[in-house]
Amino acid sequence: MSLGPYATFIVTSYLAVALVVALLIAWVAFDYRSQKRRLRELEESGVMRRSGRSATGTK
């Protein structure tokens, strides 16, 4: 399959989008773990959440 004279641009664009999506997924995963850790630290120090639920989902 020939992509024509714009093959380099098309492939580079798709690679750039794939990289951005991968970075966003990694950032979300890292941020989620950070938030869980911070919530755990707050609960251990005695700070209670307004919702009354713990960070681990158990009461």
Side-chain angles (χ1 to χ4, degrees):
M1 178 171 124
S2 175
L3 299 176
Y6 303 108
T8 304
F9 174 76
I10 293 169
V11 171
T12 304
S13 298
Y14 273 97
L15 288 174
V17 169
L19 177 64
V20 169
V21 168
L23 288 172
L24 286 172
I25 290 170
W27 177 56
V28 166
F30 175 77
D31 188 51
Y32 177 75
R33 288 189 345 208
S34 249
Q35 287 182 22
K36 295 287 276 188
R37 181 181 30 94
R38 182 69 179 136
L39 280 173
R40 195 175 328 108
E41 290 170 359
L42 287 170
E43 286 183 347
E44 288 171 357
S45 71
V47 175
M48 297 301 294
R49 293 170 62 182
R50 283 191 252 173
S51 65
R53 295 184 310 226
S54 69
T56 58
T58 60
K59 287 188 177 184

